[in-house]
Amino acid sequence: MFLHGTSRINKQGHLEIGGVDTVELASNFGTPLYVYDVALIRQRARGFKETFEKHGVKAQVAYASKAFSTIAMVQVVHEEGLSLDVVSGGELYTALAGDFPKERIHFHGNNKSRAELEMAVKEDVGCIVVDNFYEIALLQEITEQYQKKMPVLLRLTPGIEAHTHDYILTGQEDSKFGFDLQNGQADEAVRLVQNSKGLELLGIHCHIGSQIFETTGFIMATQKLFAKMKEWKQRIKFVPQVLNLGGGFGIRYTEEDQPIPVSQYVEVIIEEVKKQSKQLEVEIPEIWIEPGRSLVGDAGTTLYSIGSRKHVPNVREYVAIDGGMNDNIRPALYQAKYEAVIANRMNDESDELVSIAGKCCESGDMLMWDVQLPKANPDDLLAMFCTGAYGYSMASHYNRLPKPAVVFVEDGEAQLVVKRETYEDLVKNDVKYKVTVKK
């Protein structure tokens, strides 16, 4: 059994997170319930920041809020002195609602609408990461309309493939994101932005993938970007002030995963950027990174109540819980694997092989296959670990199921930060159809 962060087994034999008994959490806030270990989030944030500070390198660590975006999360990010990466008008609105400093907001996305870009420009966000030629033209119009000067980074695809799941590769040449480094698109984008009155070119950005357990990809990406920077320096005298190498740092979901310390990623990146800068004879650019999953992934645990079971002789034992693909789509979407425990009986022997079924009316709604657990009874509490990234963010109303509540736990206290939805919430935006009967 691997316990993350502040998780431990208390005297009652229950799982405890942040000094709070999960049985009490389930009793007070209901299930399904997303529980976040705030101390672990803070520890990870400080690990990234302190490594840059230790090496005396100018940097920004921007939390990729697509992993988990709420006002409370934005507040914690601000308290820890991080920047914030948003990818939609909704994430930007959440950041603003949480009073996040606008100058530390970076706006990403491959198809930002005019309304979203206008919102970003009017609010004077710190920078927009430009993804395509359509966006350059749109931003030029908007900055002229509002008489603003907008700092931008250009997102580039360096042709580096991270060793990860095909669904979340983003750095290779065949990608929906960014300007290609090889075919002249990046050169044309630099030219257009430099010639624009309303855009200020701060630097360049790339992101090579997600759930990465080695540093080779980051080294290769840095080398490719500096090779292009050498061309720009010689040909057009352009040297980026900012080099954003994205995120994708892996976490441990199961014993198959072997992540490295966050400091190791950062130190390798710093070392390679310093080396390449020295060879190019330029000042070290400000380094930006964008951890998302690695800040919140293993800080999140989802609590479920166990309900029915089904025995298929000589095949499988199904145990059903009161959530499923509506609150965690990742197992159905790309076969993500997790670990779990019976939170109210942590000291019991794991003597039964079961598969955890969700309650959605969908054969593919299976959260876990063939896991060893103590024999589960109705109303036992299942805790699924490492659900902090992309659980709440990708939750849906499939089968008209309300979205779960979110609780932050820290120093023995629990605070509700997102209310559980009600059935009334499900229909509040519905409008009745006025039926007309033809005679």
Side-chain angles (χ1 to χ4, degrees):
M1 182 188 304
F2 188 94
L3 297 179
H4 301 261
T6 64
S7 297
R8 70 180 189 95
I9 302 172
N10 65 18
K11 293 179 181 178
Q12 289 73 41
H14 300 166
L15 175 66
E16 183 180 286
I17 307 173
V20 184
D21 192 318
T22 55
V23 174
E24 292 181 13
L25 288 171
S27 175
N28 293 336
F29 300 103
T31 59
L33 181 68
Y34 298 112
V35 180
Y36 280 84
D37 183 351
V38 180
L40 183 53
I41 296 173
R42 296 189 192 280
Q43 176 189 326
R44 290 284 160 71
R46 291 168 190 177
F48 281 114
K49 280 199 71 185
E50 288 169 1
T51 306
F52 280 115
E53 291 166 359
K54 171 182 152 186
H55 289 272
V57 175
K58 193 174 182 183
Q60 283 194 46
V61 178
Y63 168 59
S65 64
K66 67 177 182 176
F68 171 62
S69 177
T70 66
I71 288 175
M73 184 61 204
V74 164
Q75 289 176 305
V76 171
V77 172
H78 178 27
E79 286 177 4
E80 293 303 319
L82 305 189
S83 297
L84 192 70
D85 161 358
V86 302
V87 297
S88 71
E91 287 185 3
L92 175 55
Y93 187 89
T94 301
L96 298 173
D99 296 321
F100 196 86
K102 299 174 185 179
E103 67 275 10
R104 298 211 311 268
I105 297 175
H106 310 158
F107 193 8
H108 285 255
N110 71 303
N111 189 29
K112 306 177 191 74
S113 68
R114 177 181 287 273
E116 288 175 322
L117 288 173
E118 285 184 351
M119 182 180 179
V121 169
K122 286 192 286 186
E123 294 291 347
D124 291 316
V125 302
C127 123
I128 293 177
V129 182
V130 175
D131 205 273
N132 50 67
F133 293 112
Y134 169 78
E135 187 177 338
I136 291 176
L138 203 53
L139 258 182
Q140 286 174 330
E141 293 178 18
I142 293 168
T143 52
E144 183 177 345
Q145 176 186 350
Y146 290 98
Q147 295 295 296
K148 298 265 192 175
K149 189 85 170 177
M150 176 54 63
V152 303
L153 300 185
L154 293 177
R155 178 162 183 170
L156 309 179
T157 49
I160 303 297
E161 296 190 13
H163 297 289
T164 184
H165 194 289
D166 285 345
Y167 281 83
I168 44 180
L169 287 175
T170 56
Q172 75 279 20
E173 290 182 41
D174 184 10
S175 170
K176 76 174 189 177
F177 296 105
F179 301 96
D180 192 86
L181 205 60
Q182 316 299 329
N183 64 11
Q185 289 182 347
D187 300 315
E188 177 63 10
V190 168
R191 186 189 68 80
L192 288 171
V193 173
Q194 284 190 322
N195 291 335
S196 170
K197 292 181 180 178
L199 306 182
E200 177 190 357
L201 184 55
L202 288 184
I204 53 180
H205 168 282
C206 79
H207 180 71
I208 61 172
S210 297
Q211 192 61 353
I212 302 168
F213 294 126
E214 42 76 33
T215 58
T216 305
F218 295 102
I219 293 171
M220 293 173 65
T222 303
Q223 290 171 348
K224 282 209 166 190
L225 292 175
F226 267 89
K228 177 57 72 174
M229 287 165 58
K230 182 178 180 179
E231 289 181 28
W232 288 334
K233 181 189 176 191
Q234 293 172 346
R235 188 161 43 85
I236 57 175
K237 310 298 184 198
F238 169 57
V239 178
Q241 303 170 46
V242 172
L243 179 61
N244 188 329
L245 291 167
F249 316 114
I251 68 165
R252 183 196 185 280
Y253 283 100
T254 69
E255 61 183 6
E256 299 172 5
D257 301 323
Q258 299 295 324
I260 60 178
V262 295
S263 60
Q264 191 172 332
Y265 290 109
V266 175
E267 286 175 343
V268 167
I269 288 171
I270 291 171
E271 182 181 345
E272 188 61 32
V273 172
K274 282 184 173 181
K275 174 184 171 183
Q276 294 294 327
S277 298
K278 184 176 181 180
Q279 290 178 2
L280 192 55
E281 297 181 334
V282 296
E283 287 187 18
I284 299 168
E286 183 172 332
I287 302 172
W288 293 4
I289 58 171
E290 298 164 345
R293 183 201 316 263
S294 55
L295 279 177
V296 296
D298 52 2
T301 300
T302 306
L303 303 180
Y304 299 102
S305 294
I306 289 172
S308 67
R309 68 162 55 219
K310 176 183 178 180
H311 174 64
V312 183
N314 302 316
V315 179
R316 195 178 307 281
E317 192 78 17
Y318 289 94
V319 171
I321 44 92
D322 58 351
M325 65 191 300
N326 56 299
D327 59 71
N328 187 354
I329 192 66
R330 295 184 71 250
L333 186 62
Y334 37 75
Q335 298 78 56
K337 295 180 181 180
Y338 293 89
E339 292 178 340
V341 294
I342 302 298
N344 57 308
R345 293 162 45 213
M346 293 290 287
N347 294 323
D348 287 13
E349 185 179 350
S350 296
D351 53 6
E352 185 178 41
L353 186 69
V354 298
S355 293
I356 305 299
K359 70 173 290 172
C360 291
C361 190
E362 191 76 41
S363 297
D365 184 23
M366 295 293 301
L367 291 187
M368 303 181 74
W369 293 97
D370 299 327
V371 294
Q372 275 310 132
L373 291 172
K375 184 165 183 176
N377 303 309
D379 298 324
D380 273 343
L381 190 64
L382 183 85
M384 183 179 287
F385 298 128
C386 299
T387 58
Y390 307 109
Y392 174 83
S393 290
M394 299 176 80
S396 74
H397 288 132
Y398 186 53
N399 287 180
R400 281 303 221 194
L401 292 170
K403 292 182 182 178
V406 181
V407 170
F408 277 13
V409 290
E410 187 174 20
D411 298 329
E413 295 185 3
Q415 184 177 337
L416 182 70
V417 297
V418 179
K419 296 178 183 178
R420 182 176 306 281
E421 289 186 339
T422 65
Y423 291 141
E424 289 79 10
D425 291 327
L426 292 176
V427 299
K428 69 180 180 181
N429 291 326
D430 286 10
V431 179
K432 287 186 176 179
Y433 176 56
K434 184 178 180 182
V435 180
T436 56
V437 180
K438 294 183 180 180
K439 295 181 179 179

